[in-house]
């Protein structure tokens, strides 16, 4: 249980650092905000895809660090991406629609993955989570493109 609590602490600390770094990078305007989110979701998806190869504790620490640094970018960058795409005059409506979509996908994702994991062999369970992450990113940018 000490190892589990350490992994949760590492994930949460890295999540905090990752969200702050996303804000700093976005503020510097080195790359576009949407590109920053796409890269972070790609790294998160690859990290989760490789989950079945993790075994010793140090590999789970690497997973916790990578997931913590990159997974929260989509949540911390959503308001700035919305304002970049639709402008401030349409921000409230667009953000409300996006939050509704995120609530539906996040609320239905875990039960669907649980249902599929009981049907699909154990090795495919982790890749289903990664595919869900990729699909959510695709839908995010697809709906942003439609709103624009």
């Amino acid at each position: 249980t000490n190892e589990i609590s350490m992994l949760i602490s590492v994930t949460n600390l890295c999540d905090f650092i990752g969200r702050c770094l996303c804000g700093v990078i976005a503020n510097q305007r080195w790359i576009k905000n949407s590109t920053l989110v796409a890269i972070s979701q790609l790294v998160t998806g690859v990290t989760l895809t490789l989950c079945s190869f993790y075994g010793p504790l140090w590999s789970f620490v690497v997973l916790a660090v990578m997931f913590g640094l990159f997974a929260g970018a989509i949540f911390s960058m959503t308001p700035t991406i919305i304002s970049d795409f639709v402008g401030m005059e349409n921000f409230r409506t667009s953000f409300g629609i996006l939050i509704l979509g995120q609530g539906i996908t996040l609320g239905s994702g875990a039960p669907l993955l649980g249902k599929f994991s009981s049907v699909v062999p154990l090795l495919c369970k982790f890749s289903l989570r990664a595919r869900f992450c990729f699909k959510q990113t695709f839908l995010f940018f697809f709906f942003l493109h439609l709103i624009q």
Side-chain angles (χ1 to χ4, degrees):
T1 59
N2 288 337
E3 295 170 346
I4 294 171
S5 61
M6 186 263 307
L7 288 173
I8 291 172
S9 298
V10 167
T11 302
N12 289 332
L13 176 67
C14 290
D15 184 53
F16 175 75
I17 292 169
R19 289 180 189 216
C20 292
L21 282 176
C22 278
V24 169
I25 292 170
N27 221 12
Q28 298 297 322
R29 298 286 182 191
W30 292 329
I31 59 175
K32 293 180 3 183
N33 293 339
S34 58
T35 306
L36 179 64
V37 170
I39 291 170
S40 70
Q41 291 302 291
L42 180 69
V43 171
T44 301
V46 169
T47 302
L48 291 176
T49 302
L50 297 175
C51 252
S52 60
F53 299 111
Y54 299 141
L57 179 64
W58 67 266
S59 63
F60 281 105
V61 171
V62 170
L63 168 70
V65 168
M66 295 297 288
F67 186 79
L69 286 176
F70 292 100
I74 193 166
F75 299 108
S76 64
M77 296 299 295
T78 297
T80 58
I81 291 173
I82 294 288
S83 67
D84 287 348
F85 277 104
V86 299
M88 289 307 290
E89 62 277 353
N90 296 324
F91 178 76
R92 288 187 303 171
T93 305
S94 303
F95 194 69
I97 292 170
L98 183 71
I99 292 298
L100 175 67
Q102 278 184 343
I104 291 169
T105 57
L106 291 174
S108 63
L112 288 175
L113 286 174
K115 174 68 176 163
F116 289 133
S117 68
S118 65
V119 176
V120 179
L122 181 63
L123 290 176
C124 296
K125 185 165 52 170
F126 298 111
S127 65
L128 282 173
R129 289 187 183 119
R131 284 186 217 143
F132 176 73
C133 186
F134 285 133
K135 287 177 186 175
Q136 184 181 9
T137 304
F138 171 76
L139 288 174
F140 176 78
F141 287 110
F142 177 73
F143 285 121
L144 278 179
H145 179 67
L146 286 180
I147 292 172
Q148 187 184 16

